[in-house]
PDB file of all heavy atoms in Angstrom:
ATOM      1  N   TYR A   1     -19.702 -11.202  25.986  1.00  0.00           N
ATOM      2  CA  TYR A   1     -20.886 -10.539  26.529  1.00  0.00           C
ATOM      3  C   TYR A   1     -20.622 -10.245  27.998  1.00  0.00           C
ATOM      4  O   TYR A   1     -19.963 -11.037  28.689  1.00  0.00           O
ATOM      5  CB  TYR A   1     -22.087 -11.467  26.384  1.00  0.00           C
ATOM      6  CG  TYR A   1     -23.429 -10.793  26.435  1.00  0.00           C
ATOM      7  CD1 TYR A   1     -23.904 -10.048  25.365  1.00  0.00           C
ATOM      8  CD2 TYR A   1     -24.248 -10.916  27.556  1.00  0.00           C
ATOM      9  CE1 TYR A   1     -25.150  -9.440  25.398  1.00  0.00           C
ATOM     10  CE2 TYR A   1     -25.496 -10.317  27.600  1.00  0.00           C
ATOM     11  CZ  TYR A   1     -25.941  -9.574  26.520  1.00  0.00           C
ATOM     12  OH  TYR A   1     -27.176  -8.974  26.557  1.00  0.00           O
ATOM     13  N   ALA A   2     -21.121  -9.097  28.474  1.00  0.00           N
ATOM     14  CA  ALA A   2     -20.874  -8.707  29.859  1.00  0.00           C
ATOM     15  C   ALA A   2     -22.111  -8.035  30.444  1.00  0.00           C
ATOM     16  O   ALA A   2     -22.967  -7.522  29.717  1.00  0.00           O
ATOM     17  CB  ALA A   2     -19.676  -7.764  29.938  1.00  0.00           C
ATOM     18  N   LEU A   3     -22.169  -8.049  31.763  1.00  0.00           N
ATOM     19  CA  LEU A   3     -23.220  -7.359  32.502  1.00  0.00           C
ATOM     20  C   LEU A   3     -22.595  -6.357  33.452  1.00  0.00           C
ATOM     21  O   LEU A   3     -21.546  -6.616  34.049  1.00  0.00           O
ATOM     22  CB  LEU A   3     -24.056  -8.349  33.322  1.00  0.00           C
ATOM     23  CG  LEU A   3     -24.785  -9.475  32.594  1.00  0.00           C
ATOM     24  CD1 LEU A   3     -25.449 -10.409  33.597  1.00  0.00           C
ATOM     25  CD2 LEU A   3     -25.812  -8.919  31.625  1.00  0.00           C
ATOM     26  N   THR A   4     -23.220  -5.213  33.593  1.00  0.00           N
ATOM     27  CA  THR A   4     -22.887  -4.266  34.645  1.00  0.00           C
ATOM     28  C   THR A   4     -24.189  -3.614  35.103  1.00  0.00           C
ATOM     29  O   THR A   4     -25.274  -4.117  34.800  1.00  0.00           O
ATOM     30  CB  THR A   4     -21.847  -3.220  34.177  1.00  0.00           C
ATOM     31  OG1 THR A   4     -21.440  -2.430  35.310  1.00  0.00           O
ATOM     32  CG2 THR A   4     -22.394  -2.303  33.102  1.00  0.00           C
ATOM     33  N   HIS A   5     -24.086  -2.529  35.823  1.00  0.00           N
ATOM     34  CA  HIS A   5     -25.277  -1.831  36.302  1.00  0.00           C
ATOM     35  C   HIS A   5     -25.031  -0.334  36.187  1.00  0.00           C
ATOM     36  O   HIS A   5     -23.890   0.116  36.041  1.00  0.00           O
ATOM     37  CB  HIS A   5     -25.562  -2.192  37.768  1.00  0.00           C
ATOM     38  CG  HIS A   5     -24.423  -1.817  38.686  1.00  0.00           C
ATOM     39  ND1 HIS A   5     -24.338  -0.588  39.304  1.00  0.00           N
ATOM     40  CD2 HIS A   5     -23.316  -2.504  39.049  1.00  0.00           C
ATOM     41  CE1 HIS A   5     -23.239  -0.528  40.016  1.00  0.00           C
ATOM     42  NE2 HIS A   5     -22.588  -1.680  39.882  1.00  0.00           N
ATOM     43  N   THR A   6     -26.086   0.439  36.237  1.00  0.00           N
ATOM     44  CA  THR A   6     -25.920   1.883  36.220  1.00  0.00           C
ATOM     45  C   THR A   6     -25.550   2.380  37.611  1.00  0.00           C
ATOM     46  O   THR A   6     -25.940   1.790  38.631  1.00  0.00           O
ATOM     47  CB  THR A   6     -27.208   2.597  35.781  1.00  0.00           C
ATOM     48  OG1 THR A   6     -28.269   2.248  36.677  1.00  0.00           O
ATOM     49  CG2 THR A   6     -27.596   2.205  34.363  1.00  0.00           C
ATOM     50  N   ILE A   7     -24.778   3.455  37.648  1.00  0.00           N
ATOM     51  CA  ILE A   7     -24.530   4.128  38.923  1.00  0.00           C
ATOM     52  C   ILE A   7     -25.824   4.761  39.417  1.00  0.00           C
ATOM     53  O   ILE A   7     -26.127   4.753  40.609  1.00  0.00           O
ATOM     54  CB  ILE A   7     -23.422   5.190  38.742  1.00  0.00           C
ATOM     55  CG1 ILE A   7     -22.068   4.495  38.513  1.00  0.00           C
ATOM     56  CG2 ILE A   7     -23.364   6.136  39.943  1.00  0.00           C
ATOM     57  CD1 ILE A   7     -20.932   5.438  38.234  1.00  0.00           C
ATOM     58  N   GLU A   8     -26.600   5.265  38.472  1.00  0.00           N
ATOM     59  CA  GLU A   8     -27.839   5.971  38.809  1.00  0.00           C
ATOM     60  C   GLU A   8     -28.967   5.011  39.184  1.00  0.00           C
ATOM     61  O   GLU A   8     -29.080   3.926  38.623  1.00  0.00           O
ATOM     62  CB  GLU A   8     -28.305   6.827  37.628  1.00  0.00           C
ATOM     63  CG  GLU A   8     -27.381   7.980  37.285  1.00  0.00           C
ATOM     64  CD  GLU A   8     -26.197   7.581  36.421  1.00  0.00           C
ATOM     65  OE1 GLU A   8     -26.081   6.385  36.068  1.00  0.00           O
ATOM     66  OE2 GLU A   8     -25.386   8.460  36.089  1.00  0.00           O
ATOM     67  N   THR A   9     -29.785   5.460  40.126  1.00  0.00           N
ATOM     68  CA  THR A   9     -31.070   4.824  40.426  1.00  0.00           C
ATOM     69  C   THR A   9     -32.158   5.636  39.726  1.00  0.00           C
ATOM     70  O   THR A   9     -32.140   6.868  39.773  1.00  0.00           O
ATOM     71  CB  THR A   9     -31.332   4.805  41.945  1.00  0.00           C
ATOM     72  OG1 THR A   9     -30.356   3.968  42.574  1.00  0.00           O
ATOM     73  CG2 THR A   9     -32.730   4.282  42.254  1.00  0.00           C
ATOM     74  N   ILE A  10     -33.073   4.962  39.072  1.00  0.00           N
ATOM     75  CA  ILE A  10     -34.141   5.625  38.319  1.00  0.00           C
ATOM     76  C   ILE A  10     -35.488   5.248  38.915  1.00  0.00           C
ATOM     77  O   ILE A  10     -35.729   4.076  39.236  1.00  0.00           O
ATOM     78  CB  ILE A  10     -34.081   5.237  36.828  1.00  0.00           C
ATOM     79  CG1 ILE A  10     -32.727   5.662  36.236  1.00  0.00           C
ATOM     80  CG2 ILE A  10     -35.226   5.886  36.047  1.00  0.00           C
ATOM     81  CD1 ILE A  10     -32.525   5.262  34.798  1.00  0.00           C
ATOM     82  N   ARG A  11     -36.344   6.255  39.066  1.00  0.00           N
ATOM     83  CA  ARG A  11     -37.704   6.041  39.566  1.00  0.00           C
ATOM     84  C   ARG A  11     -38.671   6.466  38.465  1.00  0.00           C
ATOM     85  O   ARG A  11     -38.880   7.660  38.248  1.00  0.00           O
ATOM     86  CB  ARG A  11     -37.944   6.835  40.847  1.00  0.00           C
ATOM     87  CG  ARG A  11     -37.035   6.434  42.004  1.00  0.00           C
ATOM     88  CD  ARG A  11     -37.258   7.320  43.232  1.00  0.00           C
ATOM     89  NE  ARG A  11     -36.409   6.887  44.340  1.00  0.00           N
ATOM     90  CZ  ARG A  11     -35.160   7.299  44.523  1.00  0.00           C
ATOM     91  NH1 ARG A  11     -34.616   8.165  43.670  1.00  0.00           N
ATOM     92  NH2 ARG A  11     -34.442   6.855  45.534  1.00  0.00           N
ATOM     93  N   VAL A  12     -39.238   5.507  37.773  1.00  0.00           N
ATOM     94  CA  VAL A  12     -40.101   5.802  36.624  1.00  0.00           C
ATOM     95  C   VAL A  12     -41.519   6.101  37.110  1.00  0.00           C
ATOM     96  O   VAL A  12     -42.139   5.261  37.771  1.00  0.00           O
ATOM     97  CB  VAL A  12     -40.127   4.614  35.632  1.00  0.00           C
ATOM     98  CG1 VAL A  12     -40.942   4.986  34.390  1.00  0.00           C
ATOM     99  CG2 VAL A  12     -38.707   4.210  35.232  1.00  0.00           C
ATOM    100  N   PRO A  13     -42.079   7.285  36.797  1.00  0.00           N
ATOM    101  CA  PRO A  13     -43.467   7.577  37.167  1.00  0.00           C
ATOM    102  C   PRO A  13     -44.433   6.608  36.480  1.00  0.00           C
ATOM    103  O   PRO A  13     -44.105   6.013  35.445  1.00  0.00           O
ATOM    104  CB  PRO A  13     -43.668   9.016  36.656  1.00  0.00           C
ATOM    105  CG  PRO A  13     -42.289   9.587  36.549  1.00  0.00           C
ATOM    106  CD  PRO A  13     -41.408   8.436  36.159  1.00  0.00           C
ATOM    107  N   ARG A  14     -45.649   6.480  36.997  1.00  0.00           N
ATOM    108  CA  ARG A  14     -46.587   5.486  36.476  1.00  0.00           C
ATOM    109  C   ARG A  14     -47.167   5.879  35.119  1.00  0.00           C
ATOM    110  O   ARG A  14     -47.775   5.047  34.450  1.00  0.00           O
ATOM    111  CB  ARG A  14     -47.690   5.164  37.476  1.00  0.00           C
ATOM    112  CG  ARG A  14     -48.628   6.260  37.807  1.00  0.00           C
ATOM    113  CD  ARG A  14     -49.741   5.762  38.734  1.00  0.00           C
ATOM    114  NE  ARG A  14     -50.593   4.775  38.113  1.00  0.00           N
ATOM    115  CZ  ARG A  14     -50.718   3.505  38.523  1.00  0.00           C
ATOM    116  NH1 ARG A  14     -50.061   3.071  39.557  1.00  0.00           N
ATOM    117  NH2 ARG A  14     -51.528   2.680  37.889  1.00  0.00           N
ATOM    118  N   ASN A  15     -47.005   7.129  34.697  1.00  0.00           N
ATOM    119  CA  ASN A  15     -47.475   7.525  33.354  1.00  0.00           C
ATOM    120  C   ASN A  15     -46.321   7.667  32.359  1.00  0.00           C
ATOM    121  O   ASN A  15     -46.482   8.250  31.300  1.00  0.00           O
ATOM    122  CB  ASN A  15     -48.255   8.836  33.426  1.00  0.00           C
ATOM    123  CG  ASN A  15     -47.380  10.012  33.840  1.00  0.00           C
ATOM    124  OD1 ASN A  15     -46.404   9.839  34.581  1.00  0.00           O
ATOM    125  ND2 ASN A  15     -47.728  11.193  33.380  1.00  0.00           N
ATOM    126  N   ILE A  16     -45.162   7.125  32.726  1.00  0.00           N
ATOM    127  CA  ILE A  16     -43.962   7.206  31.881  1.00  0.00           C
ATOM    128  C   ILE A  16     -43.439   5.797  31.618  1.00  0.00           C
ATOM    129  O   ILE A  16     -43.462   4.944  32.507  1.00  0.00           O
ATOM    130  CB  ILE A  16     -42.860   8.043  32.572  1.00  0.00           C
ATOM    131  CG1 ILE A  16     -43.305   9.491  32.784  1.00  0.00           C
ATOM    132  CG2 ILE A  16     -41.561   7.989  31.776  1.00  0.00           C
ATOM    133  CD1 ILE A  16     -43.412  10.319  31.529  1.00  0.00           C
ATOM    134  N   THR A  17     -42.949   5.550  30.405  1.00  0.00           N
ATOM    135  CA  THR A  17     -42.161   4.351  30.139  1.00  0.00           C
ATOM    136  C   THR A  17     -40.875   4.798  29.465  1.00  0.00           C
ATOM    137  O   THR A  17     -40.841   5.831  28.782  1.00  0.00           O
ATOM    138  CB  THR A  17     -42.931   3.339  29.261  1.00  0.00           C
ATOM    139  OG1 THR A  17     -42.276   2.069  29.304  1.00  0.00           O
ATOM    140  CG2 THR A  17     -43.046   3.806  27.823  1.00  0.00           C
ATOM    141  N   CYS A  18     -39.812   4.066  29.683  1.00  0.00           N
ATOM    142  CA  CYS A  18     -38.491   4.469  29.187  1.00  0.00           C
ATOM    143  C   CYS A  18     -37.931   3.423  28.230  1.00  0.00           C
ATOM    144  O   CYS A  18     -38.212   2.226  28.357  1.00  0.00           O
ATOM    145  CB  CYS A  18     -37.506   4.650  30.344  1.00  0.00           C
ATOM    146  SG  CYS A  18     -38.007   5.835  31.586  1.00  0.00           S
ATOM    147  N   ILE A  19     -37.102   3.896  27.310  1.00  0.00           N
ATOM    148  CA  ILE A  19     -36.325   3.020  26.445  1.00  0.00           C
ATOM    149  C   ILE A  19     -34.856   3.386  26.627  1.00  0.00           C
ATOM    150  O   ILE A  19     -34.485   4.566  26.558  1.00  0.00           O
ATOM    151  CB  ILE A  19     -36.720   3.187  24.956  1.00  0.00           C
ATOM    152  CG1 ILE A  19     -38.180   2.788  24.741  1.00  0.00           C
ATOM    153  CG2 ILE A  19     -35.803   2.349  24.067  1.00  0.00           C
ATOM    154  CD1 ILE A  19     -38.475   1.329  24.947  1.00  0.00           C
ATOM    155  N   CYS A  20     -34.021   2.393  26.872  1.00  0.00           N
ATOM    156  CA  CYS A  20     -32.577   2.596  27.027  1.00  0.00           C
ATOM    157  C   CYS A  20     -31.870   2.119  25.763  1.00  0.00           C
ATOM    158  O   CYS A  20     -32.068   0.976  25.321  1.00  0.00           O
ATOM    159  CB  CYS A  20     -32.043   1.822  28.225  1.00  0.00           C
ATOM    160  SG  CYS A  20     -32.848   2.238  29.786  1.00  0.00           S
ATOM    161  N   ILE A  21     -31.032   2.993  25.186  1.00  0.00           N
ATOM    162  CA  ILE A  21     -30.312   2.662  23.952  1.00  0.00           C
ATOM    163  C   ILE A  21     -28.830   2.945  24.134  1.00  0.00           C
ATOM    164  O   ILE A  21     -28.435   3.797  24.937  1.00  0.00           O
ATOM    165  CB  ILE A  21     -30.870   3.458  22.745  1.00  0.00           C
ATOM    166  CG1 ILE A  21     -30.781   4.966  23.008  1.00  0.00           C
ATOM    167  CG2 ILE A  21     -32.297   3.048  22.445  1.00  0.00           C
ATOM    168  CD1 ILE A  21     -31.211   5.814  21.829  1.00  0.00           C
ATOM    169  N   GLY A  22     -28.001   2.230  23.398  1.00  0.00           N
ATOM    170  CA  GLY A  22     -26.554   2.383  23.514  1.00  0.00           C
ATOM    171  C   GLY A  22     -26.056   3.702  22.934  1.00  0.00           C
ATOM    172  O   GLY A  22     -26.710   4.330  22.108  1.00  0.00           O
ATOM    173  N   LYS A  23     -24.860   4.093  23.376  1.00  0.00           N
ATOM    174  CA  LYS A  23     -24.245   5.325  22.887  1.00  0.00           C
ATOM    175  C   LYS A  23     -23.497   5.058  21.585  1.00  0.00           C
ATOM    176  O   LYS A  23     -22.842   4.028  21.429  1.00  0.00           O
ATOM    177  CB  LYS A  23     -23.293   5.893  23.938  1.00  0.00           C
ATOM    178  CG  LYS A  23     -24.019   6.400  25.181  1.00  0.00           C
ATOM    179  CD  LYS A  23     -23.056   6.948  26.206  1.00  0.00           C
ATOM    180  CE  LYS A  23     -22.344   8.206  25.727  1.00  0.00           C
ATOM    181  NZ  LYS A  23     -23.244   9.349  25.535  1.00  0.00           N
ATOM    182  N   SER A  24     -23.575   6.005  20.667  1.00  0.00           N
ATOM    183  CA  SER A  24     -22.962   5.814  19.350  1.00  0.00           C
ATOM    184  C   SER A  24     -21.443   5.726  19.436  1.00  0.00           C
ATOM    185  O   SER A  24     -20.803   5.075  18.604  1.00  0.00           O
ATOM    186  CB  SER A  24     -23.369   6.944  18.403  1.00  0.00           C
ATOM    187  OG  SER A  24     -22.874   8.185  18.855  1.00  0.00           O
ATOM    188  N   THR A  25     -20.835   6.365  20.445  1.00  0.00           N
ATOM    189  CA  THR A  25     -19.374   6.289  20.600  1.00  0.00           C
ATOM    190  C   THR A  25     -18.931   4.846  20.762  1.00  0.00           C
ATOM    191  O   THR A  25     -17.967   4.393  20.127  1.00  0.00           O
ATOM    192  CB  THR A  25     -18.923   7.120  21.814  1.00  0.00           C
ATOM    193  OG1 THR A  25     -19.265   8.485  21.594  1.00  0.00           O
ATOM    194  CG2 THR A  25     -17.417   7.020  22.026  1.00  0.00           C
ATOM    195  N   TYR A  26     -19.640   4.091  21.595  1.00  0.00           N
ATOM    196  CA  TYR A  26     -19.296   2.682  21.785  1.00  0.00           C
ATOM    197  C   TYR A  26     -19.718   1.851  20.574  1.00  0.00           C
ATOM    198  O   TYR A  26     -19.021   0.897  20.191  1.00  0.00           O
ATOM    199  CB  TYR A  26     -19.947   2.137  23.049  1.00  0.00           C
ATOM    200  CG  TYR A  26     -19.155   2.402  24.307  1.00  0.00           C
ATOM    201  CD1 TYR A  26     -19.742   3.001  25.416  1.00  0.00           C
ATOM    202  CD2 TYR A  26     -17.814   2.059  24.399  1.00  0.00           C
ATOM    203  CE1 TYR A  26     -19.007   3.251  26.572  1.00  0.00           C
ATOM    204  CE2 TYR A  26     -17.070   2.293  25.549  1.00  0.00           C
ATOM    205  CZ  TYR A  26     -17.678   2.894  26.625  1.00  0.00           C
ATOM    206  OH  TYR A  26     -16.956   3.134  27.769  1.00  0.00           O
ATOM    207  N   ALA A  27     -20.856   2.182  19.965  1.00  0.00           N
ATOM    208  CA  ALA A  27     -21.315   1.416  18.802  1.00  0.00           C
ATOM    209  C   ALA A  27     -20.272   1.457  17.684  1.00  0.00           C
ATOM    210  O   ALA A  27     -20.081   0.474  16.961  1.00  0.00           O
ATOM    211  CB  ALA A  27     -22.645   1.963  18.306  1.00  0.00           C
ATOM    212  N   ARG A  28     -19.570   2.588  17.547  1.00  0.00           N
ATOM    213  CA  ARG A  28     -18.541   2.717  16.503  1.00  0.00           C
ATOM    214  C   ARG A  28     -17.307   1.876  16.795  1.00  0.00           C
ATOM    215  O   ARG A  28     -16.447   1.705  15.937  1.00  0.00           O
ATOM    216  CB  ARG A  28     -18.153   4.183  16.357  1.00  0.00           C
ATOM    217  CG  ARG A  28     -19.313   5.056  15.895  1.00  0.00           C
ATOM    218  CD  ARG A  28     -18.997   6.531  16.064  1.00  0.00           C
ATOM    219  NE  ARG A  28     -20.242   7.300  16.122  1.00  0.00           N
ATOM    220  CZ  ARG A  28     -20.487   8.384  15.394  1.00  0.00           C
ATOM    221  NH1 ARG A  28     -19.581   8.831  14.556  1.00  0.00           N
ATOM    222  NH2 ARG A  28     -21.625   9.009  15.523  1.00  0.00           N
ATOM    223  N   CYS A  29     -17.249   1.349  18.039  1.00  0.00           N
ATOM    224  CA  CYS A  29     -16.145   0.472  18.426  1.00  0.00           C
ATOM    225  C   CYS A  29     -16.580  -0.989  18.482  1.00  0.00           C
ATOM    226  O   CYS A  29     -15.813  -1.848  18.923  1.00  0.00           O
ATOM    227  CB  CYS A  29     -15.592   0.892  19.782  1.00  0.00           C
ATOM    228  SG  CYS A  29     -14.929   2.566  19.834  1.00  0.00           S
ATOM    229  N   GLY A  30     -17.811  -1.260  18.054  1.00  0.00           N
ATOM    230  CA  GLY A  30     -18.306  -2.635  18.051  1.00  0.00           C
ATOM    231  C   GLY A  30     -18.990  -3.060  19.335  1.00  0.00           C
ATOM    232  O   GLY A  30     -19.331  -4.229  19.498  1.00  0.00           O
ATOM    233  N   ILE A  31     -19.199  -2.106  20.261  1.00  0.00           N
ATOM    234  CA  ILE A  31     -19.865  -2.407  21.522  1.00  0.00           C
ATOM    235  C   ILE A  31     -21.346  -2.072  21.396  1.00  0.00           C
ATOM    236  O   ILE A  31     -21.714  -0.949  21.056  1.00  0.00           O
ATOM    237  CB  ILE A  31     -19.241  -1.608  22.682  1.00  0.00           C
ATOM    238  CG1 ILE A  31     -17.822  -2.126  22.972  1.00  0.00           C
ATOM    239  CG2 ILE A  31     -20.095  -1.675  23.930  1.00  0.00           C
ATOM    240  CD1 ILE A  31     -17.781  -3.534  23.541  1.00  0.00           C
ATOM    241  N   HIS A  32     -22.194  -3.048  21.705  1.00  0.00           N
ATOM    242  CA  HIS A  32     -23.641  -2.866  21.581  1.00  0.00           C
ATOM    243  C   HIS A  32     -24.298  -3.067  22.942  1.00  0.00           C
ATOM    244  O   HIS A  32     -24.022  -4.049  23.637  1.00  0.00           O
ATOM    245  CB  HIS A  32     -24.216  -3.853  20.571  1.00  0.00           C
ATOM    246  CG  HIS A  32     -23.583  -3.750  19.220  1.00  0.00           C
ATOM    247  ND1 HIS A  32     -23.842  -2.715  18.354  1.00  0.00           N
ATOM    248  CD2 HIS A  32     -22.671  -4.551  18.598  1.00  0.00           C
ATOM    249  CE1 HIS A  32     -23.127  -2.869  17.248  1.00  0.00           C
ATOM    250  NE2 HIS A  32     -22.414  -3.976  17.373  1.00  0.00           N
ATOM    251  N   VAL A  33     -25.170  -2.141  23.301  1.00  0.00           N
ATOM    252  CA  VAL A  33     -25.950  -2.241  24.532  1.00  0.00           C
ATOM    253  C   VAL A  33     -27.356  -2.681  24.160  1.00  0.00           C
ATOM    254  O   VAL A  33     -27.977  -2.113  23.260  1.00  0.00           O
ATOM    255  CB  VAL A  33     -25.984  -0.887  25.272  1.00  0.00           C
ATOM    256  CG1 VAL A  33     -26.914  -0.961  26.486  1.00  0.00           C
ATOM    257  CG2 VAL A  33     -24.580  -0.492  25.704  1.00  0.00           C
ATOM    258  N   ASN A  34     -27.841  -3.709  24.845  1.00  0.00           N
ATOM    259  CA  ASN A  34     -29.171  -4.229  24.557  1.00  0.00           C
ATOM    260  C   ASN A  34     -30.233  -3.149  24.792  1.00  0.00           C
ATOM    261  O   ASN A  34     -30.204  -2.438  25.801  1.00  0.00           O
ATOM    262  CB  ASN A  34     -29.465  -5.431  25.464  1.00  0.00           C
ATOM    263  CG  ASN A  34     -30.779  -6.080  25.141  1.00  0.00           C
ATOM    264  OD1 ASN A  34     -31.015  -6.497  24.015  1.00  0.00           O
ATOM    265  ND2 ASN A  34     -31.655  -6.171  26.129  1.00  0.00           N
ATOM    266  N   VAL A  35     -31.156  -3.004  23.846  1.00  0.00           N
ATOM    267  CA  VAL A  35     -32.264  -2.053  24.016  1.00  0.00           C
ATOM    268  C   VAL A  35     -33.163  -2.570  25.143  1.00  0.00           C
ATOM    269  O   VAL A  35     -33.668  -3.693  25.084  1.00  0.00           O
ATOM    270  CB  VAL A  35     -33.061  -1.900  22.711  1.00  0.00           C
ATOM    271  CG1 VAL A  35     -34.268  -0.988  22.932  1.00  0.00           C
ATOM    272  CG2 VAL A  35     -32.171  -1.355  21.602  1.00  0.00           C
ATOM    273  N   THR A  36     -33.322  -1.756  26.169  1.00  0.00           N
ATOM    274  CA  THR A  36     -34.006  -2.195  27.381  1.00  0.00           C
ATOM    275  C   THR A  36     -35.156  -1.259  27.730  1.00  0.00           C
ATOM    276  O   THR A  36     -34.952  -0.048  27.803  1.00  0.00           O
ATOM    277  CB  THR A  36     -33.008  -2.226  28.565  1.00  0.00           C
ATOM    278  OG1 THR A  36     -31.911  -3.087  28.243  1.00  0.00           O
ATOM    279  CG2 THR A  36     -33.683  -2.720  29.832  1.00  0.00           C
ATOM    280  N   PRO A  37     -36.346  -1.777  27.979  1.00  0.00           N
ATOM    281  CA  PRO A  37     -37.440  -0.915  28.460  1.00  0.00           C
ATOM    282  C   PRO A  37     -37.400  -0.806  29.983  1.00  0.00           C
ATOM    283  O   PRO A  37     -37.021  -1.751  30.680  1.00  0.00           O
ATOM    284  CB  PRO A  37     -38.693  -1.656  27.993  1.00  0.00           C
ATOM    285  CG  PRO A  37     -38.289  -3.101  28.027  1.00  0.00           C
ATOM    286  CD  PRO A  37     -36.817  -3.146  27.687  1.00  0.00           C
ATOM    287  N   LEU A  38     -37.779   0.350  30.501  1.00  0.00           N
ATOM    288  CA  LEU A  38     -38.035   0.529  31.933  1.00  0.00           C
ATOM    289  C   LEU A  38     -39.522   0.832  32.047  1.00  0.00           C
ATOM    290  O   LEU A  38     -39.987   1.865  31.573  1.00  0.00           O
ATOM    291  CB  LEU A  38     -37.199   1.677  32.510  1.00  0.00           C
ATOM    292  CG  LEU A  38     -35.681   1.625  32.262  1.00  0.00           C
ATOM    293  CD1 LEU A  38     -35.008   2.834  32.891  1.00  0.00           C
ATOM    294  CD2 LEU A  38     -35.087   0.327  32.781  1.00  0.00           C
TER     295      LEU A  38
END
């Protein structure tokens, strides 16, 4: 298991919520990104 961070900074508006999901390219290699809400 590993941790990193995004290069991007995100500013979520107060009427928006976000869901972060892993990319299928990595999923096909056995790499899973935790589903994360912003």
Side-chain angles (χ1 to χ4, degrees):
Y1 201 75
L3 301 175
T4 187
H5 60 90
T6 59
I7 290 176
E8 294 82 0
T9 295
I10 300 177
R11 298 176 178 87
V12 184
R14 65 176 295 117
N15 66 330
I16 297 290
T17 194
C18 303
I19 297 293
C20 303
I21 58 176
K23 292 180 66 66
S24 64
T25 298
Y26 275 128
R28 297 167 202 230
C29 299
I31 291 292
H32 303 286
V33 174
N34 185 57
V35 176
T36 303
L38 307 180

